[in-house]
Amino acid sequence: MNPTLRLRISPCPNDTFAFDALINGRIDTEGLRFEVEFADIEELNTALLEGSPHISKISTALLPLVDDRYELLDSGSALGRGNGQLLVRRRGDDSPIRTVAIPGVHTTANAMLSLFFPQITDRRPMLFSEIAQAVENGLCDAGVLIHEGRFVYERHNLQLTADLGALWEERTGLPLPLGAIVADRRLPHATRRTVERLIARSVEYAFAHPHASRDFVKAHARELEDDVIDKHIALFVNEYTISLGSEGRRAVENLIKGIGRSRD
């Protein structure tokens, strides 16, 4: 009898769109059953450091810290071009940036800030969906936006200071790895390969039936406008989500090396 696997992903449109077919029985799961939980990316990262889930979304920057216990899967990743984190501040403010709101210490967003703005050391972790408001209210000089926040920051009277993804692409010529899916190495090898295959199949189903997941996506999204959801999905779910491939793997390796050098 196959065990029930604990699957933890974010409630953001890219994950709910990609995993809808797997979670909601639109594809054959080859006998595997999944118990699904949704959590903010930093909560997902923390749980992985504690070693609790079987399968989970993870910030790519955290991979080196869990590699002994979790395997990077070929499918399910969020990486690409033109989809990087945005450093924003209040419109018209040109004073020095001293404090920055970040979506978590272990996030790729924080790693990218370290890579390109190492001089900014006062970083204040908070829920990603609260960052734009915090900067608008003057609680921090600037903030690093991820997920839906990158599409709506101008509503909060904010302006773009730096596109961290664009800086990464200029430096490396590679797509930016944001998040990935990992599996507990204690699971049988065959089970991990099946999960990898099922996630790829779920993403392929999502591309073939783009409206099938809409109700599921909107039930979990923080920004409910259809245009914001569509932009989010189009930006973060792509061919790399089906398979990292050689270029995707090379991008992950370069990110990990770059983070390592920035910490030295």
Side-chain angles (χ1 to χ4, degrees):
M1 183 176 179
N2 289 318
T4 297
L5 301 178
R6 295 190 306 277
L7 169 65
R8 304 191 84 218
I9 57 176
S10 84
C12 295
N14 57 302
D15 278 358
T16 49
F17 176 78
F19 282 84
D20 165 70
L22 175 67
I23 293 169
N24 293 311
R26 305 188 200 279
I27 60 171
D28 178 7
T29 60
E30 301 185 33
L32 293 183
R33 293 175 296 171
F34 297 88
E35 180 182 284
V36 184
E37 297 178 8
F38 296 94
D40 169 68
I41 185 60
E42 190 68 343
E43 293 175 335
L44 296 172
N45 289 335
T46 300
L48 283 164
L49 289 171
E50 297 169 353
S52 59
H54 292 121
I55 314 293
S56 180
K57 184 71 172 284
I58 185 176
S59 290
T60 305
L62 190 62
L63 285 172
L65 297 184
V66 301
D67 183 64
D68 60 328
R69 291 176 291 119
Y70 285 93
E71 175 192 14
L72 170 64
L73 298 187
D74 186 58
S75 55
S77 288
L79 82 162
R81 300 180 186 277
N83 63 357
Q85 311 89 345
L86 304 182
L87 179 65
V88 300
R89 64 185 313 179
R90 287 180 297 282
R91 186 175 292 121
D93 186 358
D94 59 358
S95 60
I97 295 176
R98 296 186 175 86
T99 60
V100 177
I102 58 171
V105 173
H106 300 295
T107 60
T108 307
N110 188 38
M112 294 292 287
L113 188 65
S114 295
L115 196 59
F116 293 108
F117 295 91
Q119 72 277 15
I120 303 176
T121 57
D122 190 347
R123 303 174 191 179
R124 303 182 182 183
M126 60 183 66
L127 189 64
F128 78 90
S129 56
E130 298 175 355
I131 290 177
Q133 190 70 59
V135 178
E136 181 181 22
N137 292 341
L139 299 179
C140 293
D141 298 329
V144 181
L145 300 181
I146 61 173
H147 300 323
E148 297 99 318
R150 71 188 323 281
F151 302 110
V152 298
Y153 67 88
E154 291 180 334
R155 300 178 189 175
H156 295 276
N157 196 37
L158 304 179
Q159 66 184 25
L160 180 65
T161 296
D163 183 328
L164 302 182
L167 294 176
W168 166 264
E169 290 182 46
E170 289 172 10
R171 175 177 291 190
T172 68
L174 292 168
L176 173 63
L178 301 168
I181 301 294
V182 293
D184 192 326
R185 293 185 184 276
R186 291 172 296 184
L187 292 172
H189 177 81
T191 300
R192 283 179 272 148
R193 298 291 73 78
T194 300
V195 171
E196 197 169 57
R197 184 167 60 250
L198 292 178
I199 295 172
R201 191 179 301 159
S202 183
V203 178
E204 290 170 341
Y205 183 98
F207 283 145
H209 306 85
H211 301 294
S213 63
R214 183 50 51 118
D215 289 344
F216 184 64
V217 171
K218 294 191 77 167
H220 297 279
R222 295 182 183 274
E223 295 288 344
L224 295 177
E225 297 94 332
D226 283 335
D227 65 327
V228 174
I229 289 174
D230 290 341
K231 289 176 182 177
H232 186 120
I233 292 170
L235 197 59
F236 295 107
V237 187
N238 50 44
E239 68 274 13
Y240 296 111
T241 316
I242 298 174
S243 172
L244 280 169
S246 59
E247 184 176 55
R249 292 271 177 178
R250 191 164 73 254
V252 171
E253 292 170 2
N254 271 264
L255 179 68
I256 291 171
K257 289 177 182 177
I259 292 170
R261 286 193 294 269
S262 72
R263 288 172 177 165
D264 291 342

